[in-house]
Amino acid sequence: MFGEIKLLEKQADYDKLIKEFGAKRFSPKILEILKTRHKLIEMGFFFAHRDFDKYLEIFKRGGQVAIVSGRGPSNYIHLGHLIIFDFIRWLQSELDAEVYIPLSDDEKYVFNKVKTLEEAYKYAIDNALDIAALGYNPEKTHMYVSSQTKWVYKISLELSRHLTYSTVKAAFGLTDSVNPGVVFYSAVQAAHILMPTIKYNYPVVVPIGMDQDPYMRLTRDIAAKIKVFKPASIYARYLRGLTGEPMSASQPETCIFINDSPETIKRKVWNAFTGGRATIKEQRELGGEPEKCVVYEWLMVYEFKDVKEALEHKMKCVSGELICGVCKEKLYNALIRFIKEHYKRKDSIKNKIQDYFDHEI
Ligand code: SF4
């Protein structure tokens, strides 16, 4: 069945992206080595990779592997962010991997997303708690605030000599009006990704959205120049925002923040974009259009336990058996359940957050 489940394909031409970025689709073969299958790979949310097969080969031969995934702390975390971090938690347990989580206060500062570094720091600590609450192994998880971590500057400087201004400018489409911190941040990002390889010889995989791929390509070029393992990547498609637009913290109606009240969640879900018809009568006659439906997409993440359940729901929608109110109620209940459980776990580790920061890097 793998690869044949076209639950999400109509929303974007991912094949074209795969070709353009030189990535490969996940195949069942490369994942045979993993003990379990993540439902979001089966459902096509994590759909492609670059060199993840080479990375898994090293793991298969008994090598220690690492995962790097950063968080830019400019706001409270929303559920879209947690999807990637929950996937990484799963991958950590599958591979017994060391996980490095840079909290990039410097990035948010130079890109003018926060007023002060102190503001970014406040979010960094709160975001760290949300990430740790997903169930990371504290023994193998290394969080750090980028501007406060000594080695970041040293390694960034060393790597910056392997970049040119024109390469960075072209890769990100920068204009001459950006501040130099934005340009230098490419070296900082490369330092985050390559540190586990430079320092410990661990191969690294980075789960990312495709829009972040320019950083990966620059970093892989640097890795080739300094002759270390080129970091692998796993590509995620983004869950669409509730309004149908991309999820963005600066447009609160598109996403559910972890600290949204039940009333706010209800309003956002009830206003969500669906593939439903104008009237219930039409819906019964013509059926809904789940490929267009954001509520269906979110149910895939927060409600359905597997592809089979997602497909059954899809059939009920298409046949007109379902109406959108039922799905919205289901989604609202699933989100409230998820957030309640999340807060329980967050509270239970509140006094232990240092365990995730204390490791010698
Ligand atoms: Fe979406 Fe459910 Fe409406 Fe179908 S019935 S379009 S799945 S909300």
Side-chain angles (χ1 to χ4, degrees):
M1 283 299 286
F2 204 85
E4 292 164 24
I5 304 157
K6 306 263 181 192
L7 292 172
L8 299 159
E9 297 297 300
K10 284 195 178 163
Q11 291 156 24
D13 189 355
Y14 283 101
D15 282 333
K16 190 172 152 235
L17 284 175
I18 286 170
K19 212 169 150 195
E20 204 173 293
F21 286 87
K24 289 184 203 155
R25 264 192 190 281
F26 273 126
S27 72
K29 191 149 180 36
I30 78 154
L31 297 173
E32 268 169 11
I33 191 168
L34 304 176
K35 297 187 287 281
T36 59
R37 284 279 181 81
H38 196 288
K39 78 166 189 181
L40 294 185
I41 295 182
E42 302 272 336
M43 289 176 171
F45 279 93
F46 293 92
F47 65 100
H49 70 95
R50 190 192 275 133
D51 285 351
F52 189 49
D53 43 356
K54 291 183 189 161
Y55 171 96
L56 286 177
E57 268 309 309
I58 296 173
F59 170 73
K60 215 159 128 185
R61 294 200 302 269
Q64 174 66 56
V65 292
I67 306 167
V68 175
S69 185
R71 161 78 190 135
S74 60
N75 208 325
Y76 293 107
I77 224 157
H78 64 63
L79 298 192
H81 302 129
L82 288 183
I83 295 173
I84 289 209
F85 283 109
D86 192 53
F87 176 80
I88 295 167
R89 178 208 45 81
W90 166 79
L91 203 54
Q92 176 181 54
S93 67
E94 286 287 313
L95 304 174
D96 198 25
E98 300 286 343
V99 175
Y100 296 87
I101 304 178
L103 299 154
S104 309
D105 58 335
D106 43 2
E107 177 197 2
K108 291 300 166 187
Y109 185 72
V110 298
F111 281 87
N112 288 317
K113 300 290 183 193
V114 285
K115 285 201 183 83
T116 61
L117 279 169
E118 289 70 25
E119 184 190 354
Y121 182 81
K122 181 192 84 179
Y123 287 125
I125 300 303
D126 191 69
N127 292 177
L129 263 171
D130 282 314
I131 295 166
L134 294 171
Y136 279 81
N137 173 0
E139 298 292 318
K140 296 206 146 214
T141 303
H142 315 271
M143 297 192 191
Y144 55 94
V145 178
S146 186
S147 74
Q148 301 191 5
T149 306
K150 236 185 188 169
W151 63 260
V152 173
Y153 186 53
K154 182 172 180 285
I155 299 184
S156 307
L157 275 183
E158 287 165 358
L159 299 184
S160 69
R161 292 198 357 185
H162 300 283
L163 289 170
T164 63
Y165 173 56
S166 61
T167 319
V168 175
K169 193 178 170 187
F172 299 104
L174 300 181
T175 63
D176 288 343
S177 64
V178 298
N179 70 60
V182 168
V183 182
F184 186 66
Y185 190 71
S186 324
V188 177
Q189 182 87 309
H192 291 316
I193 297 171
L194 290 179
M195 187 280 287
T197 312
I198 293 172
K199 218 166 164 193
Y200 304 111
N201 206 22
Y202 299 155
V204 158
V205 68
V206 188
I208 49 168
M210 275 209 153
D211 60 332
Q212 293 165 323
D213 201 57
Y215 279 119
M216 283 307 294
R217 279 182 282 169
L218 286 188
T219 306
R220 283 168 60 86
D221 287 350
I222 295 174
K225 286 179 191 158
I226 63 172
K227 299 191 171 37
V228 296
F229 181 88
K230 287 196 211 173
S233 38
I234 293 176
Y235 296 103
R237 68 177 291 288
Y238 286 113
L239 183 67
R240 278 184 303 161
L242 287 167
T243 56
E245 298 149 291
M247 232 189 279
S248 162
S250 58
Q251 286 177 280
E253 292 304 306
T254 60
C255 48
I256 302 285
F257 289 96
I258 203 71
N259 58 344
D260 275 350
S261 68
E263 296 71 37
T264 304
I265 296 173
K266 191 159 218 164
R267 189 195 67 238
K268 289 180 179 179
V269 170
W270 251 255
N271 290 333
F273 181 79
T274 71
R277 307 287 175 179
T279 63
I280 293 183
K281 188 172 174 284
E282 264 183 60
Q283 178 99 353
R284 295 285 187 217
E285 283 167 15
L286 302 171
E289 296 178 282
E291 294 86 359
K292 291 183 183 169
C293 179
V294 169
V295 173
Y296 179 67
E297 224 174 296
W298 280 55
L299 284 171
M300 286 168 79
V301 177
Y302 295 104
E303 173 71 6
F304 307 145
K305 61 180 183 308
D306 53 27
V307 170
K308 187 171 166 274
E309 198 179 339
L311 288 174
E312 281 166 7
H313 191 94
K314 187 177 184 179
M315 291 320 295
K316 284 186 192 162
C317 169
V318 171
S319 67
E321 189 183 329
L322 273 176
I323 52 167
C324 299
V326 173
C327 296
K328 287 177 177 177
E329 186 73 39
K330 216 184 241 296
L331 178 59
Y332 169 74
N333 289 333
L335 295 177
I336 294 290
R337 207 167 46 237
F338 174 85
I339 289 176
K340 257 194 190 157
E341 283 164 17
H342 183 79
Y343 266 98
K344 250 194 240 163
R345 292 193 302 264
K346 192 173 171 179
D347 280 346
S348 73
I349 58 153
K350 242 178 197 148
N351 300 324
K352 299 181 195 152
I353 191 64
Q354 274 310 319
D355 295 354
Y356 299 85
F357 280 87
D358 274 345
H359 305 279
E360 171 82 11
I361 293 181

